[in-house]
Amino acid sequence: MKLDLSEKSLPVYEALASPVRLHILRLLAERPMNVKELAAAVHLSSAIMTMHVRKLAEADLVTTQMAPGKSGLQKICSLAASSAEIIFPTTGGSVRKSYRTEIPIGQYSDFHIEPTCGLATTGKIIGSFDDPRYFWDQDRANAAILWFGKGFIEYKAPNFLLSSQQPQELMLTMEIASEAPATNNNYPSDITFTFNECLLGTWTSPGDYGDRKGKFTPDWWPESINQYGLLKQLRITEEGTYMDGLKLSDVKLSDVDILRKQWTIRLSVEEDALHQGGLTLFGKGFGNYNEHLVAELFYSERAPDAR
């Protein structure tokens, strides 16, 4: 989760400004819990706990899902964020220099997938569900959501770095989730990331979220299908590869042939994955963040040759 000092980040700061809510987040980091369990753990009534959970959900720190319980429906709460980064303004108002490339999720260059699968634009489903052939449909370039159970999808991105510029960090940002039959907030999936044929690491998606409508998901979209994902930030630096600030692997920027003129980005659910829970990718017009896949390369200017 990426925060700044603008008012749009206030809901997160307000949600975290409570010892009770911090305790709730620590509990949910261990496992999903229902409201009654949380209330008992922090010695509060269920009504007060519902208020705290709502505050955390409004800040996208927690997701909730109704599920059958021993005495009727129960609200299951799950942690929705693994880390948060606060970006402060730099001295003098300067900003880091970068090349930012937005990659529409339907403009993939290759794939090999197995059902369940499908894709859609903001206005219609492309072809029919669970038929990989429609991933080559001419409308796929306009896709704003896609999903598959196993396999990979691959993208190409240009590298505009000049010879006078020194790469410092590559950041990949995406809204992503698992792919469950219907939806399931507790449905782990091991998603592997590869850059320029170099394995970066594997991150486990907690679930496939359908407890509420995505903020940008079209009204016509069925409520029983993937609604939104988690905004994840994959960073490759000279110290290693990180997912939302947590180290994913020791792969460094110098290991991935970053100076290549065209990059290859692959997202996959591997054949030998422990949790084969599929993958859902959200683009503009779907989910909670209204963004496609983004590749941003930060750089510094090399000092001119003194000779």
Side-chain angles (χ1 to χ4, degrees), residues 148 151 174 176-179 187-194 199-207 232 234 243 248 266-270 273-281:
F148 57 88
M174 69 208 79
I176 194 169
S178 307
E179 158 49 22
Y187 197 81
S189 183
D190 295 337
I191 298 174
T192 297
F193 300 89
T194 306
L199 178 64
L200 299 177
T202 299
W203 165 74
T204 301
S205 167
K232 307 303 292 183
L234 186 69
M243 178 66 84
L248 197 65
R266 176 179 287 199
L267 289 70
S268 61
V269 178
E270 298 293 324
L274 177 62
H275 303 104
Q276 285 190 358
L279 183 159
T280 303
L281 198 57

Side-chain angles (χ1 to χ4, degrees), residues 136-149:
W136 284 130
D137 188 281
Q138 62 183 4
D139 280 343
R140 56 100 171 182
N142 300 314
I145 183 173
L146 64 81
W147 64 95
F148 57 88

Side-chain angles (χ1 to χ4, degrees), residues 285-302:
F286 267 86
N288 279 347
Y289 298 96
N290 206 32
E291 287 189 7
H292 286 306
L293 173 66
V294 173
E296 188 166 12
L297 180 64
F298 295 90
Y299 65 90
S300 60
E301 297 284 352
R302 290 191 179 97

Side-chain angles (χ1 to χ4, degrees), residues 1 3 7-16 21 25 50-64 75 78 80 211-212 215 228 288-289:
M1 178 178 288
L3 307 172
E7 291 185 1
K8 69 179 183 180
S9 296
L10 271 178
V12 179
Y13 300 138
E14 291 173 353
L16 294 174
R21 290 194 285 273
L25 293 175
T50 298
M51 180 273 292
H52 283 297
V53 167
R54 183 171 63 251
K55 193 81 171 178
L56 290 167
E58 289 172 351
D60 293 325
L61 294 170
V62 164
T63 60
T64 61
K75 181 178 286 187
S78 304
D211 54 297
R212 55 181 168 81
K215 292 180 181 177
Y228 65 92
N288 279 347
Y289 298 96

Side-chain angles (χ1 to χ4, degrees), residues 215-235:
K215 292 180 181 177
F216 297 95
T217 299
D219 291 338
W220 64 267
W221 187 247
E223 293 184 0
S224 60
I225 310 177
N226 339 50
Q227 295 295 321
Y228 65 92
L230 303 178
L231 189 66
K232 307 303 292 183
Q233 190 180 84
L234 186 69
R235 297 169 51 243

Side-chain angles (χ1 to χ4, degrees), residues 2-305:
K2 199 170 183 178
L3 307 172
D4 57 24
L5 300 187
S6 68
E7 291 185 1
K8 69 179 183 180
S9 296
L10 271 178
V12 179
Y13 300 138
E14 291 173 353
L16 294 174
S18 161
V20 171
R21 290 194 285 273
L22 292 177
H23 191 185
I24 293 168
L25 293 175
R26 291 194 296 270
L27 290 169
L28 294 180
E30 299 175 6
R31 63 179 179 89
M33 299 173 69
N34 63 37
V35 169
K36 187 176 180 179
E37 290 172 325
L38 287 170
V42 298
H43 309 294
L44 292 173
S45 69
S46 293
I48 296 297
M49 178 54 61
T50 298
M51 180 273 292
H52 283 297
V53 167
R54 183 171 63 251
K55 193 81 171 178
L56 290 167
E58 289 172 351
D60 293 325
L61 294 170
V62 164
T63 60
T64 61
Q65 181 182 35
M66 301 305 295
K70 292 182 179 179
S71 55
L73 288 177
Q74 59 179 339
K75 181 178 286 187
I76 304 296
C77 307
S78 304
L79 196 63
S82 57
S83 67
E85 179 184 10
I86 302 176
I87 308 299
F88 282 84
T90 55
T91 304
S94 61
V95 296
R96 287 200 296 174
K97 295 180 179 179
S98 69
Y99 291 107
R100 185 180 189 275
T101 302
E102 189 172 290
I103 310 167
I105 63 166
Q107 294 185 16
Y108 41 83
S109 57
D110 196 12
F111 69 90
H112 180 79
I113 60 172
E114 296 181 19
T116 54
C117 62
L119 65 171
T121 70
T122 55
K124 66 174 183 177
I125 294 167
I126 297 175
S128 60
F129 290 167
D130 300 337
D131 189 340
R133 293 177 300 174
Y134 285 104
F135 272 64
W136 284 130
D137 188 281
Q138 62 183 4
D139 280 343
R140 56 100 171 182
N142 300 314
I145 183 173
L146 64 81
W147 64 95
F148 57 88
K150 189 168 61 177
F152 73 85
I153 195 143
E154 197 169 87
Y155 296 88
K156 301 289 187 184
N159 175 15
F160 294 112
L161 199 71
L162 303 178
S163 59
S164 61
Q165 297 165 341
Q166 178 67 36
Q168 294 182 322
E169 175 186 332
L170 178 69
M171 185 164 64
L172 303 176
T173 306
M174 69 208 79
E175 184 174 355
I176 194 169
S178 307
E179 158 49 22
T183 64
N184 188 335
N185 284 23
N186 186 18
Y187 197 81
S189 183
D190 295 337
I191 298 174
T192 297
F193 300 89
T194 306
F195 185 85
N196 286 348
E197 296 81 50
C198 181
L199 178 64
L200 299 177
T202 299
W203 165 74
T204 301
S205 167
D208 178 8
Y209 302 102
D211 54 297
R212 55 181 168 81
K213 202 81 170 173
K215 292 180 181 177
F216 297 95
T217 299
D219 291 338
W220 64 267
W221 187 247
E223 293 184 0
S224 60
I225 310 177
N226 339 50
Q227 295 295 321
Y228 65 92
L230 303 178
L231 189 66
K232 307 303 292 183
Q233 190 180 84
L234 186 69
R235 297 169 51 243
I236 313 172
T237 72
E238 277 308 320
E239 285 71 50
T241 297
Y242 299 82
M243 178 66 84
D244 291 343
L246 299 177
K247 197 164 192 179
L248 197 65
S249 74
D250 292 323
V251 176
K252 302 183 294 295
L253 200 62
S254 55
D255 296 330
V256 299
D257 196 11
I258 195 63
L259 297 180
R260 187 185 294 185
K261 296 301 181 184
Q262 179 178 264
W263 300 325
T264 301
I265 303 163
R266 176 179 287 199
L267 289 70
S268 61
V269 178
E270 298 293 324
E271 188 74 38
D272 59 353
L274 177 62
H275 303 104
Q276 285 190 358
L279 183 159
T280 303
L281 198 57
F282 298 82
K284 278 191 173 178
F286 267 86
N288 279 347
Y289 298 96
N290 206 32
E291 287 189 7
H292 286 306
L293 173 66
V294 173
E296 188 166 12
L297 180 64
F298 295 90
Y299 65 90
S300 60
E301 297 284 352
R302 290 191 179 97
D305 196 329

